[in-house]
Amino acid sequence: MDRLRTHKAIFLLLLPALAACSIGDVRRPPPDRSSASARPTPSAPAPSRAVGFDEVRHVRVAVDRRYDRPFVEFVDADHGFALFATCDGMPPDRGCTALLFATVDGGRSWQELRHPRPVAENQQLYTAPGALVLLAEPYGWYTSTDGGASFVHTTGGEPTALVAARGRFQVVEGAGAVAAWDGAALRPLPAQPAVPGLNTVGHSGDLVVAAGARDGRPAAAVSRDAGRHWVSTPLPWRGDEVGVLRAVIAPDGGAWLVGERPDRMGFPALWRLVDGQEWALVRAVGHPAQARSVAPLGAELVAVTSPDGVGVVAGGRYYRVDWPLTGEHYLTVLGDGTILARGPDDVVVGTGWTANRRWVRVVLAEG
């Protein structure tokens, strides 16, 4: 009965948002500057239809038109940073240096910051709550914990702020082990989960979920005491191959598994942890064949972008929603529950809860 009430509440919550919509033509997505393995471009086009935003924040900054579009990253709904890192498709030089900007009002205004190493072969920007991290190869890392007013230079491995931002529990790259961050280093746990192909962990409080896939088969284990003991948790599975299995914690603390297909394009398998005990395979009747991004939103809802548009998985079905996003937008959920949708020409910030959002389009342009 409780589960029936939950599903009824979810459906009533979705009623204002569930509607058919179409999207613009699908073009090549922007390069993913934070990962070397960007998802392949979906090939199927869709008809155009204009969908309005609640607000558009189009701001011009004092940047020469030689600069390419910036990489924009938000920490939460208000705080973000932008890096102009290429000029005419090439790395900046002394006549066209990397430029750094910050916003504290959700993109309404932007202030230029001093970039600590404006000329480098490769420029990257990473953000985390309370930290801004720049990579300027081959010179190393520059970390700020005061909003970009000052930076600390380090070389070698990733700086402490960036490692800490990944959370208390992490998978040690190359070691296939779960480690705990103690404030200074990652230390492998004495007890390890029996997960073939372990590649990801997620945690909420003392609940830790470890997941992986090997030879197309997904596997997971759960710890309810902060990694001291692990229980292998069988996954209901239909036999479709899983290339990468990701553990994702929704804003409400719910644990999910997202089973990406080997081609990174097919619609993924989804599981939800029920009562902290067992995994339920989540159906999505009517879902599109492909998916670009998948983001659990809380309240048993999952947002999806695909070549067919934007949709939400709820109550075992896939519903198209009339959000002002396209299949080109890649969805992530920030620490405060804000949806960040990154497209080739903009960043869209969705504030609110579950499927009810206020959508703000942020465009930072040369001028």
Side-chain angles (χ1 to χ4, degrees), residues 28 65 114 154:
R28 183 175 299 277
R65 294 188 182 277
R114 183 190 65 84
T154 56

Side-chain angles (χ1 to χ4, degrees), residues 40-279:
T41 307
S43 57
S48 298
R49 177 173 183 257
V51 179
F53 295 92
D54 294 288
E55 185 180 348
V56 176
R57 298 169 184 170
H58 192 287
V59 180
R60 293 194 177 276
V61 292
V63 173
D64 190 278
R65 294 188 182 277
R66 286 182 56 198
Y67 285 86
D68 298 328
R69 296 200 59 81
F71 178 75
V72 180
E73 187 67 270
F74 275 78
V75 180
D76 53 37
D78 294 322
H79 298 83
F81 298 91
L83 176 67
F84 288 85
T86 55
C87 300
D88 298 325
M90 299 295 291
D93 54 29
R94 296 192 181 279
C96 186
T97 60
L99 300 176
L100 181 64
F101 291 82
T103 180
V104 295
D105 55 12
R108 293 182 181 88
S109 63
W110 295 83
Q111 296 76 43
E112 185 172 1
L113 304 176
R114 183 190 65 84
H115 194 296
R117 179 66 71 166
V119 178
E121 295 176 7
N122 179 38
Q123 301 274 7
Q124 302 284 331
L125 178 150
Y126 304 89
T127 62
L132 164 65
V133 179
L134 303 175
L135 174 62
E137 295 179 323
Y139 303 105
W141 303 88
Y142 298 83
T143 302
S144 174
T145 56
D146 55 11
S150 62
F151 289 86
V152 174
H153 178 224
T154 56
T155 58
E158 294 179 336
T160 298
L162 200 56
V163 179
R166 296 197 179 100
R168 179 182 173 192
F169 298 97
Q170 304 178 33
V171 173
V172 180
E173 188 174 355
V178 179
W181 175 253
D182 65 3
L186 284 172
R187 305 190 185 282
L189 298 176
Q192 291 291 323
V195 175
L198 174 69
N199 70 276
T200 182
V201 293
H203 68 92
S204 175
D206 286 342
L207 174 68
V208 189
V209 176
R214 177 175 292 171
D215 299 326
R217 298 184 62 89
V222 172
S223 171
R224 299 177 186 85
D225 56 7
R228 289 186 288 274
H229 302 87
W230 294 89
V231 176
S232 295
T233 46
L235 298 180
W237 185 48
R238 295 175 178 173
D240 296 333
E241 281 193 277
V242 171
V244 175
L245 186 65
R246 295 189 291 114
V248 182
I249 304 299
D252 62 356
W256 291 76
L257 296 175
V258 178
E260 296 184 358
R261 304 307 179 187
D263 63 1
R264 306 296 293 274
M265 292 176 63
F267 196 89
L270 298 170
W271 293 267
R272 182 176 59 85
L273 189 63
V274 179
D275 298 327
Q277 302 291 327
E278 60 183 7
W279 295 103

